[in-house]
Amino acid sequence: MSNCGCTTEQKPAEVSVSGRDRDGIINPMYDCQPAGAQYAGIGIKDCIPLVHGGQGCTMFVRLLFAQHFKENFDVASTSLHEDSAVFGGAGRVEEGVLVLARRYPELRVIPIITTCSTEVIGDDIEGTIRIIKKALKAEFPEREIYLAPVHTPSFKGSHVTGYDECVKSVFQTIATKKTKPTGKLNVFPGWVNPGDVVLLKDYFKAMGVDATIFMDTENFDSPMLPSKAIETQGNTTVEDIADSANAIGSLALARYEGASTAKYLNESFEVPDYLVNTPYGIKNTDDMLRKISEVTGKEIPESLVRERGIALDALADLAHMFFANKKVAIFGHPDLVLGLAQFCMEIELEPCLLLIGDDQGRKYKKDPRIEELKNTAHFDMEIIHNADLWELEKRINAGLKLDLIMGHSKGRYVAIEANIPMVRVGFPTFDRAGLYRKPTIGYKGAMELAETIANTLFAHMEYTRNKEWILNTW
Amino acid sequence: MPMVLLECDKDIPERQKHIYLKAPDEDTRDFLPIANAATIPGTLSERGCAFCGAKLVIGGVLKDTIQMIHGPLGCAYDTWHTKRYPTDNGHFNMKYVWSTDMKESHVVFGGEKRLEKSMHEAFDEMPDIKRMIVYTTCPTALIGDDIKAVAKQVMKDRPDVDVFTVECPGFSGVSQSKGHHVLNIGWINEKVDTLQKEITSDYTINFIGDFNIQGDSQLLQTYWDKLGIQVIAHFTGNGTYDDLRCMHQAQLNVVNCARSSGYIANELKKRYGIPRLDIDSWGFNYMAEGIRKICAFFGIEERGEALIAEEEAKWKPKLDWYKERLQGTKMAIWTGGPRLWHWTKSVEDDLGVQVVAMSSKFGHEEDFEKVIARGREGTYYIDDGNELEFFEIIELVKPDVIFTGPRVGELIKKLHIPYVNGHAYHNGPYMGFEGFVNLARDMYNAVYNPLRHLAAVDIRDKSQTTPIITRGAA
Amino acid sequence: MSQSHLDALYDYVQERCLWQFFSRSWDREENIEGVLNQVVRLWSGEEPLRGTPQERLFYADALPIVSDIKGRFDWASTIPAEEVKFLIEGLKSRLTETVITRSTNRELNHHLY
């Protein structure tokens, strides 16, 4: 509680942006592109992604999803082996697709996701798809199974770029012509949790906006039913995707996760695309709602004014008493980290270290949110792109004082070892229960996140006997 | 009984060779499932890759060794936070993973320089660590990087470090099993007999094929301590790199996991004349027999009997309490391979549990010889089972509990079947006397979980009432 | 030799003994021969061989077999030494047939481990 924010030295706050200066990675922040592509694929109904590569590229990613959501997701592998490395693996793609089509009669979409190995081998995925389509037509004349080529070599980008790539490829495969206007709004929320999707749906319902969320992952939180039915799969249908070309517009909520698809729909079908800041915190949510209102002509309803007010009311109890002058490090997806940093500024937390991004540093450096943080930060801030978690750990080892760490579970030991309170947010959050159900975006998400931060700090005060008596009366 | 072609496999009839239903008066010479064969693409197999067999299963267990993964970041990310093998030095092995973060330019121009720099960086960042294992991955193997030459150069530049290289990209072999093999054989060829350690007992063993899952090795170590037996090397639970270089000094190799580590025991026998004793470390009956054999080998039978008497006095009453309540429980085991034959008879003899179906991810035909010899009649024995097969088998055998991985565990939860983590355990250790009581307890708590009964209730059904679930009364 | 005695022994060994399932045919052969020869000695009250490490291991593997068999089967304590030898020879050939000669394990004869 003794941090002081006064700037007696009158040194202007400095915001630096730099990349990791090591070649190697110690503790990666992200998985590779194919992992992100698989995540996009499982958001589609009646879809099983087929990963063209070694079996580990699928098995571990399925495990990762299971860790985060406590659910099983179906992803198939072409089980690449030595012979394919020598003679090419196209045959295994063909066999994989046919086996899937035969054994899963409901199947309608198969994204074919390449990996580092099959990109190095140079398998011709597009050519193979043309061949398989003929075979499918012959064997299943009544069925249409969409095969989307997804090029996601692991030696480029990260699971963030892989997600973006797969969404785009699926839309390019299925959304191929403009037909009848639907009056609907396409929404690309990015890599968010079911809790966020539910929140967005509530907002659109409250505004009377007919919106389609890509990908609709609400059922990634699925029930145990008396019927024993398994409902764990994406809700986004082939029809939803096909109809995206007929929407009134596309709203992208994450610059690096799905926005390129909104752009594609604009370029190909003149569906206007709108990119807003990822709606972490009050202002970002305001801006999103205003944009929705502007695009659809619908008014922002009283209910959201109230929800906003309740959130502000809750945040006001916390900000200047408990959060002010607290130093925070945040790591994870760039859209998440930058959005959370903006939110931190609203509640008087000081995000002094932001770890974002993969090798796409040029892109991130130009992000307007970084410009905004540069202009508004009243404290020193370090932004590291192409970061790994060692960047965080080594700064702490060297004496960086942090009051809070925010990020996903892969960073848990940094916090545990340094005894710094940590709030799990982002992907994956396997070491805390049920987080996938809790929204982090919107007013409600801001409120719940801030309250989680507060309760985490409170528990830490108690465990460390650090003025825990303050809470004797609050 | 012939091999079984399941309904879901009618389009992939070759699966019939992999599934056996044991009938009276048959033995392995008549019906042995084909195992360690390539997976059919698109079948949703459970298998991982050779790289993970080497890194995640064996090498990455070591508590003092940098695991440098030469390839894109995903292979590092995916083989991190997926195991529960603690160590007595603060779990260095679980906290860190290293990647050379290979990029497209390295695919074109080679990645050896990148590897060399990453190795130096890793040693520089963690100056107390002097041992490293370097792994190739699919792309670095495909482009032909010479990691052995790089390792040699780094060892020349840094005389105080020792580096071991493992060349088994994910696409080699048909499963993780290939990686076990490559690491075993590489280690005996290059590292065994390169160091001598102080011998402190007349009785020395290597304990091979136990990876300290939730403290297995540490629990068994208390037995070796009581018996006055010096463990030269744990391969590799809670083990060190240098201990493994001294494996040639042991008088006896005690092997638990013959699948992952039988190779090195065979080679130690061939090259150094050290006999190989295979034991089962799970189960009272088996553990006692293993201790008796080890003690008989050394002529210290009375110490063994004293230990067994002490342990049984302490744990047998607890085991029997669970046995009384687990009697007749139907269990399925869907794990890697060896746990099928380690467990099928021990749960039957010690707990009265019937194993009704077993599936192995990476077992070889040898493993099926063992498990069919030990297992029950009317039980299914499956090689490389896939998801649809699991559903069908569940319908056929109706298990009360399944020991498997967390992802499959999440899947069967929807079918109201509880799972216990058969790989990383729920609350282990499971080896030894105390461990088997832990296993029994976890199985009991799973089988008697009230929620599965509540899940079966349909609240719309007026003829039903929700029962009060009592446990322990069984 | 009683067929039922042999069946009982065979079932016991199949279920209990991992040494019959070592990786290669020559290891299995060596183990069947080595362990079961020690079984004969122990069963008949002869002194087991304990000269080399391998002999000591065969002895250690044989001990629980003999003690289990005598514990489980009354006839095991009464049959004459000659019959024991004969019975074990029968067991050896039956095990050899099962785990070596007619085993379809494709790795049994691979020359490398």
Side-chain angles (χ1 to χ4, degrees):
Chain A
M1 294 281 121
S2 58
N3 291 353
C4 175
C6 61
T7 49
T8 47
E9 289 169 42
Q10 290 304 315
K11 180 179 76 73
E14 204 179 301
V15 177
S16 69
V17 184
S18 60
R20 179 180 94 236
D21 58 0
R22 285 166 287 118
D23 275 13
I25 279 180
I26 305 176
N27 291 357
M29 237 160 59
Y30 307 127
D31 207 338
C32 55
Q33 286 211 109
Q38 290 169 65
Y39 186 67
I42 58 173
I44 304 166
K45 196 169 163 54
D46 301 324
C47 167
I48 298 180
L50 177 64
V51 181
H52 188 29
Q55 290 160 163
C57 309
T58 307
M59 190 268 266
F60 284 108
V61 174
R62 295 180 75 189
L63 177 60
L64 179 68
F65 298 157
Q67 286 186 324
H68 178 79
F69 293 106
K70 310 291 184 245
E71 296 282 351
N72 169 71
F73 297 93
D74 288 349
V75 183
S77 171
T78 61
S79 300
L80 191 82
H81 299 308
E82 283 101 338
D83 51 346
S84 307
V86 180
F87 304 111
R92 296 195 75 81
V93 179
E94 210 176 317
E95 191 180 351
V97 169
L98 289 171
V99 166
L100 282 169
R102 287 172 191 149
R103 297 179 87 218
Y104 294 86
E106 307 80 23
L107 200 56
R108 300 179 71 191
V109 188
I110 305 177
I112 296 164
I113 297 167
T114 67
T115 57
C116 42
S117 51
T118 47
E119 288 287 337
V120 171
I121 295 167
D123 282 339
D124 173 13
I125 301 300
E126 282 75 4
T128 306
I129 285 178
R130 281 194 294 275
I131 294 167
I132 305 171
K133 275 180 136 170
K134 279 188 203 142
L136 285 174
K137 194 112 238 153
E139 192 172 336
F140 306 100
E142 307 296 309
R143 284 170 75 183
E144 172 141 43
I145 299 174
Y146 292 93
L147 306 175
V150 185
H151 291 278
T152 42
S154 321
F155 41 75
K156 223 175 102 182
S158 66
H159 71 220
V160 175
T161 55
Y163 174 86
D164 197 59
E165 184 62 33
C166 183
V167 174
K168 193 166 69 186
S169 168
V170 166
F171 274 69
Q172 286 170 341
T173 303
I174 301 175
T176 52
K177 56 176 186 285
K178 216 174 167 83
T179 50
K180 221 173 80 201
T182 59
K184 288 185 180 182
L185 181 66
N186 300 323
V187 180
F188 295 90
W191 189 314
V192 294
N193 275 322
D196 297 312
V197 171
V198 170
L199 175 129
L200 286 172
K201 286 185 178 177
D202 286 348
Y203 280 16
F204 288 115
K205 197 172 165 200
M207 290 187 70
V209 172
D210 197 355
T212 317
I213 295 180
F214 297 112
M215 306 298 186
D216 181 351
T217 57
E218 182 179 346
N219 278 6
F220 284 12
D221 181 12
S222 76
M224 256 174 111
L225 293 168
S227 66
K228 302 185 183 180
I230 298 172
E231 299 186 343
T232 317
Q233 62 167 327
N235 288 333
T236 295
T237 63
V238 166
E239 288 72 22
D240 290 338
I241 298 171
D243 252 354
S244 67
N246 305 312
I248 54 165
S250 298
L251 180 67
L253 306 182
R255 183 173 287 264
Y256 308 110
E257 299 162 7
S260 68
T261 304
K263 199 160 274 165
Y264 158 76
L265 292 172
N266 194 344
E267 283 160 5
S268 304
F269 310 108
E270 288 151 353
V271 177
D273 70 305
Y274 312 97
L275 174 65
V276 297
N277 283 346
T278 310
Y280 291 103
I282 304 297
K283 177 178 159 45
N284 284 339
T285 304
D286 289 353
D287 290 351
M288 174 185 77
L289 292 176
R290 284 177 204 274
K291 180 60 78 182
I292 295 166
S293 176
E294 177 194 318
V295 172
T296 62
K298 305 276 186 180
E299 295 300 320
I300 296 171
E302 171 73 15
S303 66
L304 287 177
V305 175
R306 286 192 65 80
E307 185 181 313
R308 183 177 188 273
I310 284 173
L312 281 169
D313 191 81
L315 297 176
D317 289 337
L318 301 170
H320 68 267
M321 169 141 189
F322 294 110
F323 291 166
N325 310 124
K326 291 267 190 299
K327 297 287 185 195
V328 187
I330 313 173
F331 63 89
H333 293 195
D335 283 308
L336 172 89
V337 173
L338 295 174
L340 288 180
Q342 292 172 307
F343 174 46
C344 282
M345 306 289 275
E346 291 180 340
I347 53 175
E348 299 193 53
L349 286 166
E350 297 183 3
C352 61
L353 176 62
L354 308 182
L355 306 174
I356 61 166
D358 39 42
D359 58 3
Q360 312 287 299
R362 254 173 313 183
K363 234 167 41 182
Y364 304 126
K365 269 190 269 189
K366 285 186 291 195
D367 193 303
R369 289 169 293 191
I370 290 182
E371 223 25 66
E372 180 193 308
L373 289 167
K374 277 183 178 170
N375 295 332
T376 52
H378 55 281
F379 50 86
D380 290 349
M381 182 189 294
E382 201 181 355
I383 301 174
I384 303 162
H385 58 83
N386 205 11
D388 59 11
L389 287 167
W390 184 249
E391 293 290 326
L392 173 62
E393 185 166 342
K394 79 175 182 188
R395 278 170 179 75
I396 293 170
N397 291 344
L400 174 68
K401 291 274 172 273
L402 291 172
D403 300 292
L404 178 71
I405 294 173
M406 292 169 81
H408 56 70
S409 300
K410 293 269 184 181
R412 66 193 301 261
Y413 261 113
V414 180
I416 293 168
E417 289 296 317
N419 197 20
I420 297 168
M422 175 172 170
V423 167
R424 272 68 171 174
V425 57
F427 179 92
T429 55
F430 51 78
D431 67 336
R432 286 295 180 274
L435 292 192
Y436 48 84
R437 190 175 304 113
K438 307 203 186 312
T440 54
I441 59 174
Y443 304 127
K444 188 158 175 248
M447 178 178 73
E448 293 204 355
L449 198 52
E451 286 168 345
T452 304
I453 292 170
N455 290 336
T456 304
L457 294 175
F458 296 163
H460 191 74
M461 286 161 70
E462 290 163 8
Y463 292 141
T464 57
R465 291 293 165 95
N466 179 14
K467 295 195 178 181
E468 78 289 346
W469 42 259
I470 279 191
L471 292 160
N472 242 23
T473 166
W474 178 45
Chain B
M1 203 73 180
M3 307 299 283
V4 179
L5 181 63
L6 295 175
E7 182 58 31
C8 66
D9 287 339
K10 62 182 188 340
D11 292 310
I12 40 173
E14 54 269 53
R15 285 291 304 156
Q16 183 169 11
K17 298 188 187 125
H18 301 266
I19 303 173
Y20 171 56
L21 173 60
K22 186 174 172 178
D25 300 321
E26 289 176 354
D27 57 46
T28 56
R29 68 193 173 194
D30 297 316
F31 299 107
L32 186 64
I34 301 264
N36 196 36
T39 299
I40 301 166
T43 47
L44 275 76
S45 147
E46 297 285 311
R47 279 176 166 175
C49 62
F51 157 72
C52 88
K55 190 273 170 183
L56 187 64
V57 176
I58 305 182
V61 183
L62 294 174
K63 62 185 171 189
D64 62 348
T65 303
I66 291 171
Q67 309 290 328
M68 178 59 70
I69 299 156
H70 184 32
L73 78 175
C75 306
Y77 184 97
D78 285 341
T79 54
W80 180 39
H81 287 279
T82 57
K83 282 279 188 180
R84 291 183 181 139
Y85 35 52
T87 65
D88 58 12
N89 69 343
H91 329 307
F92 177 77
N93 59 337
M94 293 198 292
K95 283 185 206 158
Y96 299 105
V97 72
W98 296 258
S99 167
T100 58
D101 192 19
M102 181 198 199
K103 294 295 159 198
E104 194 151 20
S105 61
H106 309 115
V107 176
V108 181
F109 302 110
E112 290 169 13
K113 283 268 164 290
R114 178 83 163 192
L115 171 62
E116 188 175 344
K117 187 147 180 287
S118 299
M119 291 169 73
H120 283 299
E121 284 169 1
F123 283 125
D124 288 342
E125 296 290 332
M126 297 183 176
D128 296 339
I129 305 294
K130 303 292 183 192
R131 300 290 178 260
M132 178 184 283
I133 302 180
V134 179
Y135 303 84
T136 49
T137 57
C138 296
T140 48
L142 286 169
I143 64 173
D145 276 355
D146 186 351
I147 66 168
K148 279 201 192 320
V150 177
K152 217 178 210 170
Q153 184 58 44
V154 171
M155 285 204 282
K156 213 167 121 196
D157 295 342
R158 306 177 92 102
D160 59 343
V161 308
D162 200 81
V163 180
F164 175 57
T165 55
V166 178
E167 296 186 83
C168 66
F171 59 73
S172 53
V174 301
S175 72
Q176 41 273 66
S177 181
K178 178 71 175 181
H180 308 150
H181 183 250
V182 171
L183 191 145
N184 270 251
I185 300 299
W187 189 266
I188 185 110
N189 282 342
E190 293 171 28
K191 294 300 174 189
V192 172
D193 206 358
T194 60
L195 196 70
Q196 301 287 326
K197 76 191 287 186
E198 193 194 342
I199 300 299
T200 57
S201 166
D202 291 339
Y203 318 115
T204 56
I205 63 171
N206 294 314
F207 199 81
I208 295 178
D210 148 45
F211 305 103
N212 201 33
I213 305 301
Q214 292 211 26
D216 277 343
S217 316
Q218 289 165 293
L219 175 67
L220 296 189
Q221 183 62 46
T222 64
Y223 301 166
W224 316 134
D225 288 343
K226 281 186 186 158
L227 295 169
I229 292 171
Q230 180 186 5
V231 179
I232 300 289
H234 286 276
F235 189 94
T236 52
N238 194 34
T240 71
Y241 184 102
D242 280 358
D243 283 351
L244 294 179
R245 297 165 73 186
C246 305
M247 290 182 92
H248 60 289
Q249 290 178 279
Q251 294 161 277
L252 178 67
N253 288 314
V254 181
V255 178
N256 177 68
C257 182
R259 179 71 284 124
S260 65
S261 322
Y263 314 104
I264 199 161
N266 286 337
E267 291 292 341
L268 284 163
K269 182 178 167 195
K270 189 166 89 183
R271 300 182 195 195
Y272 299 94
I274 309 170
R276 164 181 167 174
L277 168 64
D278 284 25
I279 67 163
D280 303 273
S281 312
W282 288 282
F284 268 49
N285 188 315
Y286 281 153
M287 191 72 239
E289 184 177 289
I291 289 169
R292 286 199 172 99
K293 285 183 178 180
I294 293 164
C295 290
F297 176 84
F298 289 120
I300 51 171
E301 289 88 341
E302 64 300 334
R303 290 191 203 177
E305 292 307 324
L307 173 65
I308 293 165
E310 184 189 331
E311 290 291 318
E312 292 205 335
K314 200 162 160 191
W315 301 109
K316 189 73 171 24
K318 294 179 196 293
L319 187 82
D320 288 343
W321 191 91
Y322 287 113
K323 181 175 187 174
E324 205 178 301
R325 287 154 181 84
L326 286 170
Q327 202 71 244
T329 299
K330 291 199 284 180
M331 172 189 186
I333 308 171
W334 295 342
T335 55
R339 289 182 192 190
L340 278 56
W341 47 265
H342 281 303
W343 287 349
T344 185
K345 200 66 186 146
S346 54
V347 295
E348 188 169 334
D349 290 349
D350 290 340
L351 298 171
V353 167
Q354 304 171 5
V355 178
V356 290
M358 290 182 267
S359 176
S360 146
K361 293 190 205 194
F362 55 76
H364 292 208
E365 283 150 22
E366 172 188 319
D367 295 276
F368 280 95
E369 288 181 284
K370 290 176 186 171
V371 69
I372 292 170
R374 286 180 165 189
R376 297 171 62 87
E377 288 161 3
T379 291
Y380 286 90
Y381 302 81
I382 308 160
D383 166 65
D384 187 21
N386 61 58
E387 195 160 299
L388 291 179
E389 291 170 358
F390 286 163
F391 286 130
E392 197 169 330
I393 291 287
I394 285 173
E395 273 307 302
L396 288 166
V397 300
K398 304 218 178 330
D400 300 307
V401 61
I402 303 182
F403 277 56
T404 184
R407 185 178 52 71
V408 177
E410 296 300 340
L411 182 66
I412 60 173
K413 181 175 71 184
K414 300 286 195 273
L415 308 175
H416 310 179
I417 300 168
Y419 106 101
V420 174
N421 194 322
H423 301 289
Y425 308 156
H426 266 33
N427 292 288
Y430 285 174
M431 283 187 183
F433 301 95
E434 179 182 355
F436 216 60
V437 173
N438 292 338
L439 179 145
R441 179 205 57 212
D442 287 352
M443 194 190 305
Y444 170 79
N445 287 337
V447 170
Y448 284 90
N449 186 338
L451 296 174
R452 57 192 286 239
H453 303 290
L454 295 174
V457 173
D458 190 334
I459 51 172
R460 297 164 298 190
D461 182 349
K462 292 196 174 64
S463 70
Q464 267 187 322
T465 54
T466 303
I468 297 168
I469 313 291
T470 54
R471 53 175 273 163
Chain C
M1 178 179 71
S2 153
Q3 186 62 37
S4 68
H5 292 175
L6 180 56
D7 288 347
L9 286 183
Y10 174 79
D11 289 346
Y12 170 87
V13 170
Q14 275 273 289
E15 185 212 302
R16 293 292 307 182
C17 301
L18 292 171
W19 45 257
Q20 68 193 311
F21 294 121
F22 270 31
S23 326
R24 300 290 178 262
S25 54
W26 56 88
D27 291 317
R28 294 182 177 193
E29 217 168 85
E30 184 190 1
N31 284 346
I32 291 170
E33 198 61 27
V35 176
L36 293 183
N37 283 347
Q38 297 282 45
V39 166
V40 172
R41 284 168 196 276
L42 288 168
W43 197 338
S44 323
E46 289 173 47
E47 195 55 33
L49 303 173
R50 298 168 74 174
T52 66
Q54 192 58 56
E55 281 170 358
R56 282 192 288 141
L57 179 56
F58 289 146
Y59 160 73
D61 270 324
L63 272 179
I65 300 176
V66 176
S67 118
D68 281 354
I69 288 172
K70 290 196 170 168
R72 288 182 193 194
F73 311 118
D74 290 341
W75 51 263
S77 305
T78 58
I79 60 170
E82 259 322 291
E83 203 174 316
V84 168
K85 210 167 267 174
F86 196 62
L87 199 54
I88 294 297
E89 284 309 313
L91 178 60
K92 278 185 192 172
S93 55
R94 191 145 159 204
L95 284 174
T96 303
E97 194 199 355
T98 300
V99 303
I100 301 173
T101 324
R102 287 186 56 194
S103 169
T104 57
N105 179 341
R106 293 168 301 155
E107 290 173 353
L108 267 192
N109 296 305
H110 199 294
H111 70 288
L112 295 172
Y113 286 119

